[in-house]
Amino acid sequence: MADTRAIRYFDHAATSWPKPPVVAESMIRAMEDAGGNPGRSAHELGLAAARTVERARSAVASLLGATDPRDIAFVPGCTEALNLVLKGGLKPGDRVIVSSVEHNAVVRPLAALAEAGIEVIRVASDEEGLIDPDAVELVLREQPARMVVCQHASNVTGAIQPVGDIADIAHEHGAVFVVDGAQSAGHLRIDLTDLGADAYAAPGHKGLLGPQGVGVLYLARGFEPQELVQGGSGGRSEDSRQPRTRPERYEAGTPNTFGIAGLGAAAEYLRAHGDEIRARERTLIRRLVDGLSDIAGIRVLGPRAGSERVPVASVVHSTREPDEIAFALDRRYGIAVRAGVHCSPWTHEAIGTAETGAVRFSVGWSTTDDDIEVALQAMAEACA
Ligand code: PMP
């Protein structure tokens, strides 16, 4: 077994690690004390499981500012949530406008939909990877669309998109607005009542600090995409059609109760400590970006120094390949980063790094001042 105490973990944008201890504790407790099938069996263990799921739903709703917990569906992940919204909210002949910096979780379902007769129009970002709301408006004025899709924050550059302004523009032009919140949930304070998104998708395992295998889909009232999966919901079983009620419509089959228990505990943890965690992440990423920018040959991608970003910073070096740097950091210093294109070839195309990819550092709730110092020293040596 690896000695994980020695790892300096800079891969929170891929998945947060470690998790707050309450996460595993609540998963084990659910397995032991709430091991029935939630919403199905009326015996004590089934009811305990249902209470576990509903408590988690309320915690997540409250963390993300959704007024009605029924507007939160638990799904297997952010990718599944995005697939649901795109495939269930668009039909052949529709047009969708999408930012040019999306992750493959958006790009690939849209490529499949394009083959099924849906027109996909990309709005270019600037060289920092930011989307200008006026550019979205320009397209919408000429080419009305059913849907506008934009990430909240980039998993490559850390850029935070002006989603509130894009939401207003989408709505003025009669489009629904879908937000990929994979890199914002947990790392930014989210108020879904205010954000203007008709759909917001988030993985439970990144900034929300839960386990892998459960994600969150928020749907505003009035946006009712077709469900992706039909099946048992525990109620109205005599009806062969999928229920239209929330959240049952979007949660066919037995859920990941233990994963949801972990996510619920993580959401409660973030409700108590989120502001403090976010403030620390902002300080640490700023220090990391400043330090990396000072190393000869290094270019930090994305928002210019001093701009707000989620705690993600990707870099390229004038002569060293990203893989070479990541390998050296791992083997020589026990520093875990991610090299490559991060499932986001569109973003790398937009910012001019499609050929090389980049080395990505992402910090999180468990990152320390010492981690930053060690990483900067290691980068200076690895790039010397
Ligand atoms: N969108 C973005 C911006 C992401 O960074 C990720 C995860 N890398 C996803 C979507 C998909 O998340 P998941 O793999 O957890 O479904």
Side-chain angles (χ1 to χ4, degrees):
M1 216 167 121
D3 179 6
T4 52
R5 285 168 309 179
I7 294 174
R8 306 269 181 181
Y9 190 74
F10 282 90
D11 205 12
H12 286 267
T15 197
S16 51
W17 182 88
K19 308 294 181 186
V22 288
V23 174
E25 284 160 19
S26 86
M27 293 175 78
I28 292 168
R29 202 165 48 244
M31 221 173 282
E32 289 174 348
D33 300 339
N37 199 325
R40 272 65 171 173
S41 316
H43 53 68
E44 186 44 42
L45 282 178
L47 295 176
R51 279 195 298 271
T52 300
V53 170
E54 294 319 315
R55 179 175 167 177
R57 198 186 305 284
S58 294
V60 169
S62 158
L63 176 71
L64 300 179
T67 40
D68 188 342
R70 288 174 299 182
D71 297 339
I72 298 285
F74 289 124
V75 291
C78 183
T79 299
E80 177 116 353
L82 290 165
N83 269 264
L84 189 160
V85 167
L86 299 174
K87 292 174 180 166
L90 293 165
K91 53 183 186 326
D94 281 348
R95 182 182 291 133
V96 53
I97 292 171
V98 60
S99 93
S100 65
V101 287
E102 296 304 308
H103 184 275
N104 275 347
V106 167
V107 172
R108 287 180 171 169
L110 286 183
L113 287 170
E115 284 178 14
I118 285 153
E119 188 187 358
V120 180
I121 298 187
R122 268 159 80 159
V123 176
S125 74
D126 64 14
E127 67 283 357
E128 291 180 36
L130 279 162
I131 300 295
D132 179 354
D134 290 344
V136 177
E137 172 140 54
L138 219 56
V139 177
L140 271 171
R141 224 182 274 153
E142 301 285 308
Q143 295 164 292
R146 181 169 304 275
M147 186 183 279
V148 174
V149 186
C150 188
Q151 61 182 212
H152 196 172
S154 169
N155 66 314
V156 176
T157 63
I160 300 169
Q161 305 295 352
V163 285
D165 293 342
I166 300 174
D168 290 344
I169 288 166
H171 292 153
E172 272 162 34
H173 290 268
V176 291
F177 183 46
V178 172
V179 173
D180 173 0
Q183 298 296 339
S184 62
H187 295 302
L188 298 178
R189 189 182 243 291
I190 306 292
D191 183 353
L192 288 172
T193 310
D194 203 40
L195 190 71
D198 296 289
Y200 178 91
H205 67 96
K206 296 186 197 260
L208 291 182
L209 307 181
Q212 297 177 10
V214 56
V216 171
L217 173 60
Y218 161 80
L219 292 171
R221 290 292 159 132
F223 180 40
E224 312 287 336
Q226 170 77 27
E227 68 281 358
L228 204 56
V229 179
Q230 294 86 27
S233 58
R236 297 179 52 84
S237 297
E238 66 291 349
D239 191 342
S240 56
R241 288 162 309 171
Q242 186 69 9
R244 288 282 176 271
T245 49
R246 295 175 175 213
E248 297 81 7
R249 179 173 189 180
Y250 302 109
E251 292 185 344
T254 301
N256 178 358
T257 305
F258 309 135
I260 291 169
L263 177 56
E268 281 166 13
Y269 183 83
L270 280 171
R271 281 175 65 202
H273 303 290
D275 286 341
E276 174 201 326
I277 289 170
R278 284 185 283 274
R280 198 168 61 239
E281 287 175 348
R282 269 198 303 278
T283 305
L284 293 180
I285 195 69
R286 206 170 295 141
R287 196 172 304 153
L288 184 65
V289 167
D290 289 349
L292 289 169
S293 310
D294 287 343
I295 298 173
I298 288 281
R299 180 162 68 91
V300 181
L301 308 175
R304 58 179 75 88
S307 319
E308 285 301 317
R309 56 165 78 216
V310 291
V312 171
S314 293
V315 300
V316 288
H317 186 262
S318 49
T319 56
R320 299 206 195 277
E321 293 296 323
D323 280 343
E324 184 191 342
I325 297 174
F327 187 78
L329 292 180
D330 180 42
R331 296 305 148 98
R332 280 164 49 192
Y333 306 93
I335 293 173
V337 295
R338 182 164 166 201
V341 294
H342 317 98
C343 301
S344 297
W346 277 18
T347 311
H348 283 282
E349 220 174 273
I351 60 174
T353 45
E355 296 300 316
T356 55
V359 180
R360 181 181 73 187
F361 291 81
S362 47
V363 311
W365 76 287
S366 57
T367 312
T368 63
D369 292 330
D370 192 48
D371 289 336
I372 302 291
E373 296 315 315
V374 170
L376 288 173
Q377 182 65 34
M379 275 297 277
E381 288 171 19
C383 296

